[in-house]
């Protein structure tokens, strides 16, 4: 198969759409899409969009599998078959109780403030589910777009053109945002997703017409360093998974095999959440499970993650963009002294140029920041949503 044109080479039409549909402020009279006011405790179908009000119930939180409570007065909005209807990526919208909007109905009101949450390699949008509900509870005017990146989760069945890179993954998300007619104020990416968020800023036209705050969680803009003994090794994990059969009899079979290969119990159990039952529960002779990701594509994505260098966008931040790096206190191998020094130098330079770069440290956390210390991460990220909510109130 012939390789696609590099993602940076956007068509004139797409560049115009990105400017008009994503980054430019709404003009009076512009038509956007919104939902009818919803009734409490009911499922409401609005065209192709279903909105659900959640009662409190226990949900798993990968990779640690702790039980967290889904908070009341939040909702998840998604098409019944997200892959078919978007043709781009599978997604969910977690909306605060004050959000009265969806992308499938036209109303002459602006879209609510939106944050995009991006997972890492071998993850899925479910990694952010409990955390997004908590944010929506605290900030009820906001909505949170959770995306399954290409080759992952429900997006794995949506055929995407090669190459499978950080840049092409970022372009997928930009296309989805255009299709949903959203104007994101905040981009949050964990690990691989952090580089995707930076690439989204790099590919969009500069300067940005509206402020955008980017959070890169436990990832640097450049070199990816392998872990030491007892730490995670994603490339080796991907290769181990590729050697396994496409179907297995149980999730425990995978967990046991990975532990035998010296991967931690937490990582093994988290990876097993990517297995989906492929035969009926009571079928004979036994049930089976299959993977919900494209491992060949993911392997290519991880190589791109290792090779992609986005220091340029950090050291030349567009006006109106604020980039926040969050270092997990126990995630030592990812952060060299030269990375930290370079980020601090970019902080000073950005302040002089009308942009922003900032470094944060999350205490008592390893790489899985939203599982290791969700309370600490929530406190740090909350400052962004308070600032943006205040700015929006002043503009109105």
């Amino acid at each position: 198969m012939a390789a696609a044109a590099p993602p940076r080479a956007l068509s004139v039409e797409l560049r115009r759409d990105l400017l008009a549909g994503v980054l430019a402020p709404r003009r009076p009279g512009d038509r956007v899409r919104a939902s009818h006011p919803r009734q409490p405790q009911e499922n409401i179908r609005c065209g192709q969009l279903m909105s659900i009000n959640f009662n409190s119930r226990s949900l798993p939180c990968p990779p640690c599998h702790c039980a967290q409570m889904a908070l009341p007065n939040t909702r998840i909005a998604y098409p019944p078959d997200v892959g078919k209807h978007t043709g781009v990526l599978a997604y969910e919208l977690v909306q605060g109780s004050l959000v009265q909007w969806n992308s499938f109905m036209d109303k002459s009101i602006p879209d609510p403030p939106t944050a995009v949450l991006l997972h890492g390699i071998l993850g899925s949008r479910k990694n952010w589910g409990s955390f997004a509900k908590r944010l929506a509870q605290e900030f009820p005017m906001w909505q949170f777009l959770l995306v399954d990146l290409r080759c992952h989760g429900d997006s794995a069945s949506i055929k995407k053109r090669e190459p499978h890179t950080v840049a092409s993954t970022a372009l997928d998300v930009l296309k989805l945002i255009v299709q949903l007619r959203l104007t994101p104020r905040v981009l949050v990416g964990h690990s691989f997703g952090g580089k995707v968020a930076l690439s989204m800023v790099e590919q969009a036209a500069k300067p940005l017409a509206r402020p955008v705050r980017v959070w890169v969680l436990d990832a640097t803009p450049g070199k990816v360093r392998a872990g030491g003994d007892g730490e995670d090794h994603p490339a080796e994990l991907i290769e181990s998974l590729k050697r396994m059969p496409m179907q297995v009899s149980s999730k425990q079979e995978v967990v046991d095999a990975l532990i035998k290969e010296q991967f931690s119990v937490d990582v093994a159990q988290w990876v097993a959440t990517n297995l989906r039952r492929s035969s009926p529960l009571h079928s004979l002779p036994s049930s089976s499970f299959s993977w919900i990701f494209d491992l060949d594509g993911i392997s290519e994505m991880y190589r791109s993650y290792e090779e992609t260098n986005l220091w340029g966008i950090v050291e030349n931040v567009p006006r109106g963009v604020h980039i926040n790096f969050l270092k997990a206190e126990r995630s030592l191998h990812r952060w060299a002294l030269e990375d930290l020094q370079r980020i601090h130098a970019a902080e000073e330079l950005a302040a002089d140029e009308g942009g922003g770069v900032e470094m944060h440290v999350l205490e008592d956390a390893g790489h899985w920041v939203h599982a290791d210390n969700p309370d600490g991460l929530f406190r740090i990220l909350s400052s962004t949503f308070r600032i943006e909510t205040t700015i929006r109130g002043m503009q109105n």
Side-chain angles (χ1 to χ4, degrees):
M1 181 182 294
R8 287 294 305 280
L10 304 183
S11 67
V12 172
E13 292 79 8
L14 181 55
R15 284 190 181 278
R16 184 175 64 242
D17 287 344
L18 291 175
L19 279 170
V22 180
L23 304 175
R26 301 289 184 192
R27 296 171 299 177
D30 276 359
R31 295 182 66 79
V32 297
R33 295 169 177 177
S35 65
H36 292 301
R38 29 181 236 296
Q39 301 298 319
Q41 310 299 332
E42 293 182 358
N43 292 351
I44 303 172
R45 291 188 180 274
C46 303
Q48 297 172 335
L49 189 73
M50 182 166 68
S51 302
I52 303 174
N53 281 337
F54 281 89
N55 292 320
S56 295
R57 58 191 178 93
S58 181
L59 292 176
C61 174
C64 64
H65 303 283
C66 64
Q68 293 193 0
M69 299 303 292
L71 298 169
N73 302 322
T74 64
R75 60 180 181 170
I76 286 186
Y78 55 94
D81 187 335
V82 288
K84 281 184 180 176
H85 289 303
T86 68
V88 181
L89 292 173
Y91 71 95
E92 292 173 3
L93 272 174
V94 178
Q95 299 177 321
S97 60
L98 299 181
V99 175
Q100 306 290 338
W101 181 92
N102 72 51
S103 65
F104 296 93
M105 300 184 68
D106 290 328
K107 294 288 181 181
S108 298
I109 59 173
D111 56 287
T114 302
V116 181
L117 307 182
L118 305 173
H119 63 79
I121 287 290
L122 294 175
S124 74
R125 68 182 189 265
K126 293 180 180 179
N127 295 161
W128 282 110
S130 296
F131 196 88
K133 293 182 182 75
R134 184 176 178 181
L135 285 170
Q137 173 75 7
E138 181 72 15
F139 304 101
M141 294 177 60
W142 282 76
Q143 63 181 10
F144 302 87
L145 178 64
L146 282 56
V147 181
D148 278 343
L149 301 178
R150 63 165 59 203
C151 303
H152 291 75
D154 290 329
S155 292
S157 60
I158 304 171
K159 298 302 180 184
K160 306 300 296 181
R161 294 182 66 184
E162 297 180 0
H164 299 301
T165 62
V166 169
S168 62
T169 305
L171 185 55
D172 291 342
V173 183
L174 286 171
K175 288 179 177 178
L176 175 63
I177 291 169
V178 168
Q179 187 159 359
L180 297 179
R181 301 183 67 180
L182 295 174
T183 307
R185 295 290 191 95
V186 178
L187 309 176
V188 182
H190 174 241
S191 194
F192 176 87
K195 275 195 175 179
V196 172
L198 288 176
S199 183
M200 289 172 65
V201 175
E202 183 186 49
Q203 293 187 58
K206 297 179 275 188
L208 296 182
R210 292 180 65 168
V212 174
R213 294 180 181 270
V214 182
W215 282 87
V216 181
L217 306 184
D218 211 39
T220 69
K223 183 178 180 180
V224 175
R225 296 170 178 83
D229 292 340
E231 296 183 300
D232 62 313
H233 296 261
E236 295 178 14
L237 177 59
I238 293 168
E239 291 306 309
S240 294
L241 294 176
K242 289 171 70 174
R243 291 193 295 268
M244 291 185 181
M246 291 297 295
Q247 289 195 334
V248 295
S249 60
S250 70
K251 294 185 178 183
Q252 191 60 45
E253 177 184 335
V254 171
V255 172
D256 292 342
L258 291 175
I259 292 174
K260 188 176 180 180
E261 294 193 31
Q262 306 302 310
F263 293 101
S264 71
V265 174
D266 285 345
V267 167
Q269 291 178 337
W270 166 68
V271 168
T273 64
N274 289 291
L275 287 165
R276 178 176 294 167
R277 193 179 298 278
S278 54
S279 60
L281 181 60
H282 301 296
S283 65
L284 296 176
S286 64
S287 300
S288 63
F289 296 81
S290 56
W291 297 108
I292 59 171
F293 44 43
D294 173 1
L295 280 173
D296 289 332
I298 288 174
S299 181
E300 187 177 347
M301 291 167 74
Y302 187 75
R303 287 195 298 272
S304 172
Y305 174 56
E306 291 182 307
E307 298 165 0
T308 298
N309 187 326
L310 291 165
W311 278 108
I313 195 69
V314 176
E315 296 174 336
N316 186 24
V317 182
R319 183 172 295 275
V321 177
H322 193 109
I323 300 175
N324 296 271
F325 289 95
L326 183 140
K327 174 187 178 296
E329 184 181 36
R330 299 198 307 267
S331 184
L332 301 179
H333 73 268
R334 288 179 174 81
W335 297 90
L337 179 60
E338 64 186 80
D339 294 331
L340 300 175
Q341 292 174 336
R342 201 165 174 180
I343 290 173
H344 287 309
E347 285 184 277
E348 298 179 9
L349 181 62
D352 295 336
E353 297 296 328
V357 175
E358 194 170 349
M359 188 75 198
H360 309 260
V361 176
L362 179 61
E363 297 178 350
D364 193 27
H367 183 58
W368 299 105
V369 291
H370 39 357
D372 289 348
N373 187 358
D375 291 340
L377 180 62
F378 184 82
R379 284 193 298 270
I380 292 174
L381 289 183
S382 291
S383 62
T384 280
F385 297 105
R386 291 193 181 95
I387 291 170
E388 287 297 320
T389 301
T390 300
I391 292 174
R392 186 177 177 88
M394 292 172 63
Q395 290 174 340
N396 293 339

